[in-house]
Amino acid sequence: MSWFNKEKAGIEKSVAKKSRVPEGMWTKCPGCSETLLATEIDANLNVCPKCGHHYRIAARRRLEALLDGATWQEFDAGITSVDFLEFKDAKSYQERINAAVAKGGSKDAVICVQGAIEGVNVQVSIFDFSFMGGSMGSVVGEKITRSIERALHLRQPAIIISASGGARMQESILSLMQMAKTSAALAKLKEAGLPFISILTDPTTGGVTASFAMLGDLNIAEPKALIGFAGPRVIEQTIRQKLPEGFQRAEYLLDHGMVDIIIPRTEMRAKLASILKMLHSPAI
Amino acid sequence: MANNFNLEFEKPIVELEKKIEELSMLALDGLDIAADVSALEGRVEQMRADIFSGLSRWQTAQVARHINRPFTLDYINHMFTDFTELHGDRNFGDDHAIVGGLARFNDQPVMVIGHQKGRDTKEKVYRNFGMPNPEGYRKALRLMQMAEQFKLPVITFVDTPGAYPGIGAEERGQAEAIARNLREMASLRTPIIVCITGEGGSGGALAIAVGDRILMLEHSVYAVISPEGCAAILWSDGTKGEQAAEALKPTAQDIIKLGVIDEIVKEPIGGAHRDHEATARNMKEAIARNLAELSKLSEEELVEGRYNKFRAMTRCLE
């Protein structure tokens, strides 16, 4: 669809300017204009200690903050995307995959681990937005589906932490099918009475929002995260009007009944633990 | 059907047809040209067959959007009897971009649901150009769950540029409506046959396209994004649709290789827009055959088979 990913480039650029913790010792917070020590923000999980502005945070750093100790185990880390359509615009898809892998982080846009939150064992999938804008192709869909199936098999809750521009255009129809595949796995989890918690972070749009990200028993958002189906620019072009203030931000979705709760990053682990313990009593 | 709209690449056919018409006029003056006319008619048919068997992906996308292409209500007219349209999502409203209701298919009661586009300006606006709001998807789900309750097979027709990208759609949960349909269709305990008949526009199409059998008309398209949308992002130029269509590989012939659809349904020579009845006949045959196969399966087998079908849609390296 013409709006999947459409806003990606724009959002990446504009948010990158203001929302990543800048290099260097001192930085001016875009939320409150205070001058802060970069290390101070970093120690606070990339949240401004003064005003609570949420900078983006690396996927692995978030996992470290969320899970108990070093007890987690990663699954399917080696699966990589393949350019089966020989998709080419300015660069070929294969070149884009290679460039993203060469950055040395993840081999695709999602990391799947088994870990524990205050002793509750969970299956967690977390998007790595730095890998092609967190876009979902076969690998992302497959790893998330396996993660949900592991949750089903081990009778554990599943958690997905989304940050994605949506479906990956370079895999065309098969990216689209990942929406159906992952949602079908969630149907099984629901039937088995196991919790699924969706955590929506900045930004979550397109095919990811329109599949598992909106299907949580609880949908939890981070403050001010951009969450939507169509990108803001596509909507503006369609309706030829300016969008209302705060449109598609977490608070707007809360007001419209689409998310259950907004939880600041610094409170996420404690809150999640409390919720999980109420929803799920693990088999002994 | 009056063919008052022609695509660029149909022009040679139209010109030849004009010549035949002019010649036929001469016949009225008593000239014996029957043999010439019939030779020319043969040439037209050959030309049409040649052009439509060699369509580029971009041309196929245009045929898929042809204004005279049959829409859901046309298929319902030609293939079903006793159609009773059912309206509304029981929450907010009735979305005219999706129609649905009870009908008989070869006498068997079924639930039929599909996107609906308009032909003239007034109807296009009324149907919101076939782009549903959340209410449309929620109506579709309500009808599918009703079908499950009364053990009726579900037959869907997919033809949309995409889900509507508007403020109201976002406010009322466009993403949630689509997502819920994907999950619920995956576990619906009744047969679902999906027919991609025109434009399979991304999530807006998929939201009524999770089924046991996916049939696709010969000149329809199905992709994660429209060629124009893709071009606007990757080429930063919305007019590069032709290149984007080649890259996206959205045709039935492309997609069947990936295991996303089960069967390509033939269109009459020259495209579905030239002969609604013949198109519907081909589609009806395919639906009937698949429905007969599915009706032999238990509910558990259906749901498990559907899960495995979508589960297998993966291309990656391990």
Side-chain angles (χ1 to χ4, degrees), chain B residues 281-308:
Chain B
R281 211 165 35 238
N282 293 352
M283 193 55 108
K284 189 174 182 179
E285 182 280 320
I287 295 173
R289 182 163 34 75
N290 282 284
L291 198 55
E293 287 169 20
L294 293 174
S295 62
K296 290 177 200 145
L297 303 176
S298 70
E299 289 176 3
E300 288 71 26
E301 286 170 326
L302 270 176
V303 173
E304 202 49 34
R306 198 181 303 144
Y307 185 80
N308 293 335

Side-chain angles (χ1 to χ4, degrees), chain A residues 1 3-4 6 79-80 84-85 87 138 142 146 149 172 174 176 178 181 188 210-211 229-230 248 252, chain B residues 163 170-171 179 201-204 206 222 224-225 233 247-249 304 307 310-311 313-318:
Chain A
M1 204 169 312
W3 45 89
F4 273 13
K6 194 158 192 176
I79 312 183
T80 53
F84 55 89
L85 291 180
F87 192 104
S138 280
E142 180 65 21
R146 288 185 193 180
E149 287 174 341
S172 195
L174 272 193
L176 188 69
Q178 304 313 310
K181 187 167 99 182
K188 287 196 162 190
S211 57
F229 173 61
Q248 292 185 322
Y252 181 92
Chain B
E170 294 284 330
E171 283 179 333
S202 198
L206 183 64
Y222 194 11
V224 70
I225 189 168
I233 303 167
L248 286 167
K249 302 196 168 62
E304 202 49 34
Y307 185 80
F310 283 86
R311 185 72 189 80
M313 294 183 191
T314 302
R315 287 281 170 106
C316 50
L317 280 176
E318 246 179 293

Side-chain angles (χ1 to χ4, degrees), chain B residues 71-114:
Chain B
F71 300 146
T72 297
L73 287 173
D74 300 311
Y75 289 107
I76 290 176
N77 258 331
H78 286 291
M79 286 164 47
F80 297 81
T81 53
D82 298 339
F83 176 57
T84 302
E85 187 175 350
L86 303 174
H87 297 272
D89 70 342
R90 297 286 193 276
N91 277 301
F92 181 81
D94 183 42
D95 191 330
H96 305 135
I98 287 191
V99 295
L102 293 162
R104 282 182 187 274
F105 180 82
N106 288 336
D107 280 338
Q108 181 185 4
V110 297
M111 187 67 79
V112 53
I113 298 165

Side-chain angles (χ1 to χ4, degrees), chain A residues 11 14-15 18 56 202-203 221-228 232 244-256 259 262:
Chain A
I11 286 167
S14 62
V15 181
K18 46 183 199 235
R56 289 187 184 160
D202 189 62
E222 275 197 339
K224 302 230 171 76
L226 178 84
I227 301 162
E245 183 69 24
F247 181 66
Q248 292 185 322
R249 294 290 160 182
E251 296 71 17
Y252 181 92
L253 271 89
L254 186 76
D255 271 353
H256 287 88
V259 299
I262 296 173

Side-chain angles (χ1 to χ4, degrees), chain A residues 198-266:
Chain A
S198 171
I199 301 176
L200 300 105
T201 72
D202 189 62
T204 299
T205 58
V208 166
T209 319
S211 57
F212 49 84
M214 272 293 150
L215 291 175
D217 295 306
L218 271 79
N219 293 337
I220 298 173
E222 275 197 339
K224 302 230 171 76
L226 178 84
I227 301 162
F229 173 61
R233 273 195 296 164
V234 177
I235 300 176
E236 271 186 357
Q237 281 163 12
T238 309
I239 59 169
R240 293 169 204 284
Q241 282 170 32
K242 272 276 160 218
L243 295 172
E245 183 69 24
F247 181 66
Q248 292 185 322
R249 294 290 160 182
E251 296 71 17
Y252 181 92
L253 271 89
L254 186 76
D255 271 353
H256 287 88
M258 295 304 149
V259 299
D260 289 274
I261 182 172
I262 296 173
I263 300 178
R265 193 178 296 151
T266 46

